[in-house]
Structure formats: C-alpha cells, structure tokens
C-alpha cells in the first residue's frame, strides 16, 4: 500500500518474526510474466531474490509461483539455491524437463487440477517421483473438470449444488474445496499405478517434511 517495495519487504520480515512457529514458509513468491501490467519482469526478478533472502534469514522453506517465464524461473532458482532449504513449486504445469530440473534441485511439485488438464500434463505427473510430490487444490480454483484429460480417473463424486442454492454440507458446483485433494490423489494413483492410500501417505509425509519438520 505504501508504494515502497523495500518497506513492504521489511514489513514482511517483521511479520515472519512476530509469527514465530506459526509461519511455516515464505510464499507464494516467484515470477509471473502474464501479469507484467502489475509488475514488470525486471522488478519481479529483483524482489524475487530479496524475498528468497527472507527464506535464508529465517531458515524457512519456500512456496514458489511460476507462470510463463521462459526458463527464467528455473535459472533464478538454480542460481539462488543456497538461499533456501527446500520448497514447493505451487500449481506445477510445466514440462517433464522442467520438473526433472526442479526435482534435481531438491524441490517438491505441487499438483492440482490445473496440472491435470491435458494428456501432456498427465504424462508429466506420471514421472514425478512420489517422494517429491504434494497434493494441492488452489481453492476455490483449479478443480478437475469433466473436460480435463484426467477426469476419467476420478472415482469420488461429491454431492453438489449451484451457489444460488447453497446447502450446508454440500459442495458448491464448480468451486474447488479442500476436500478435492482426494480427487487429485485418485488421479495421481491412476497415473502412477499406485493405491490412493499409498499416494495419500506419501504426499502427506512430503507435506509434513517440507512445512513442519524444522531443523533444530
């Protein structure tokens, strides 16, 4: 609100410090070249580095954002790898090559419905090591729709109503909810030929390891 990015960064540092153990990560931070009308890429890159320094200062993991950056995101994460312990690439929709590079840097891939739209997406998810995968929703967005290539692997059907006819205890049609992580688990299980229980156990363990297992 101040229009001063350095003041905003300093305020974030104070927020992290005041939050103590309630703050489990820095993020989501990263690069988004589809939103340059709000912030040009040179400014995004400058403050991405500074935000990563917060992760280093407080020894916290990072939740990353990356959209349409033409390799700049992977390059900067590689160059700044010593600034953070580990992290999750939120809502990953990239190529197999990008996934392999980021996994090789010790990161985890966050998968939700946006990363399960196309056959190409599904082929990438097949290849993500289960010990480097976390389940997400990005609620209320990024649900699995019937038009998605992965929809045939969804087993659970929730009782839904239109938002105008909301009833407590029922899902709102076309709104992603936290409970939809079950659907993501079902799709991942189908793609990787594993049980839902195996996927749930592994991704829960990954989430705990990234966000809640702090070094002493």
């Amino acid at each position: 609100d101040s229009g001063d990015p350095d003041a905003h960064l300093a305020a974030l540092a104070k927020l992290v410090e005041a939050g103590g153990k309630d703050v489990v990560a820095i993020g989501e931070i990263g690069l988004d070249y589809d939103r340059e009308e709000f912030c040009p890429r040179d400014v995004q890159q400058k403050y991405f580095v500074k935000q990563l320094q917060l992760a280093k200062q407080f020894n916290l993991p990072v939740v990353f954002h990356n959209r349409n950056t033409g390799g700049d995101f992977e390059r900067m994460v590689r160059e700044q790898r010593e600034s953070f312990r580990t992290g999750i690439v939120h809502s990953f929709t990239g190529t197999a090559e990008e996934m392999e590079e980021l996994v090789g840097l010790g990161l985890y891939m966050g998968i939700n419905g946006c990363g399960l739209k196309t056959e190409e997406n599904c082929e990438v998810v097949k290849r993500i090591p289960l010990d480097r995968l976390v389940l997400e929703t990005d609620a209320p967005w990024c649900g699995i729709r019937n038009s998605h290539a992965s929809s045939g692997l969804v087993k659970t059907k929730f009782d839904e109503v239109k938002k105008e006819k909301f009833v407590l205890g029922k899902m709102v049609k076309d709104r992603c909810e936290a409970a939809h992580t079950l659907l993501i688990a079902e799709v991942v299980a189908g793609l990787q030929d594993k049980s839902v229980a195996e996927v749930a156990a592994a991704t829960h363990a990954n989430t705990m390891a990234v966000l809640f297992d702090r070094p002493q």
Side-chain angles (χ1 to χ4, degrees):
D1 291 340
S2 68
D4 183 343
D6 289 310
H8 182 61
L9 196 68
L12 286 176
K14 289 181 179 179
L15 189 64
V16 174
E17 191 168 24
K21 292 184 178 179
D22 291 334
V23 179
V24 299
I26 299 295
E28 103 193 51
I29 62 173
L31 304 175
D32 191 329
Y33 292 174
D34 283 351
R35 295 292 185 268
E36 288 193 80
E37 69 271 26
F38 300 115
C39 185
R41 67 182 63 185
D42 61 323
V43 176
Q44 291 187 38
Q45 291 177 11
K46 176 181 177 179
Y47 283 92
F48 185 27
V49 172
K50 292 191 174 189
Q51 289 166 339
L52 286 172
Q53 291 302 310
L54 286 181
K56 184 174 184 178
Q57 178 182 346
F58 293 101
N59 196 24
L60 287 170
V62 176
V63 178
F64 290 101
H65 176 95
N66 173 36
R67 180 157 50 188
N68 193 27
T69 58
D72 284 351
F73 173 78
E74 290 81 11
R75 173 184 57 78
M76 291 190 69
V77 169
R78 185 169 60 251
E79 292 172 353
Q80 300 295 322
R81 185 60 187 87
E82 297 303 313
S83 296
F84 59 94
R85 308 196 266 113
T86 187
I88 299 169
V89 183
H90 164 62
S91 198
F92 181 75
T93 59
T95 65
E97 292 73 22
E98 289 168 340
M99 177 273 292
E100 289 169 356
E101 178 174 9
L102 293 167
V103 165
L105 290 169
L107 303 187
Y108 293 76
M109 302 294 102
I111 298 299
N112 55 42
C114 287
L116 296 167
K117 286 183 179 180
T118 67
E119 293 291 350
E120 291 80 5
N121 292 152
C122 292
E123 286 300 316
V124 173
V125 173
K126 279 184 184 180
R127 295 170 58 176
I128 299 175
L130 194 54
D131 65 356
R132 287 288 156 180
L133 195 152
V134 299
L135 306 181
E136 302 181 330
T137 61
D138 203 26
W141 321 114
C142 289
I144 299 175
R145 298 182 178 271
N146 291 334
S147 59
H148 289 186
S150 61
S151 62
L153 294 172
V154 172
K155 306 300 182 186
T156 300
K157 301 297 181 184
F158 292 110
D159 194 8
E160 298 180 336
V161 296
K162 293 182 178 180
K163 64 180 180 180
E164 296 82 5
K165 298 182 178 181
F166 174 76
V167 177
L168 191 65
K170 294 187 178 183
M171 297 286 187
V172 173
K173 184 175 175 60
D174 295 328
R175 184 174 75 184
C176 191
E177 307 274 4
H180 285 83
T181 50
L182 171 60
L183 311 186
I184 307 300
E186 290 174 346
V187 171
V188 171
L191 291 172
Q192 296 200 359
D193 194 24
K194 301 182 187 300
S195 70
V196 173
E198 185 178 1
V199 170
T203 54
H204 176 263
N206 294 342
T207 302
M208 296 300 294
V210 177
L211 298 178
F212 301 105
D213 290 350
R214 292 195 177 185
Q216 299 299 317

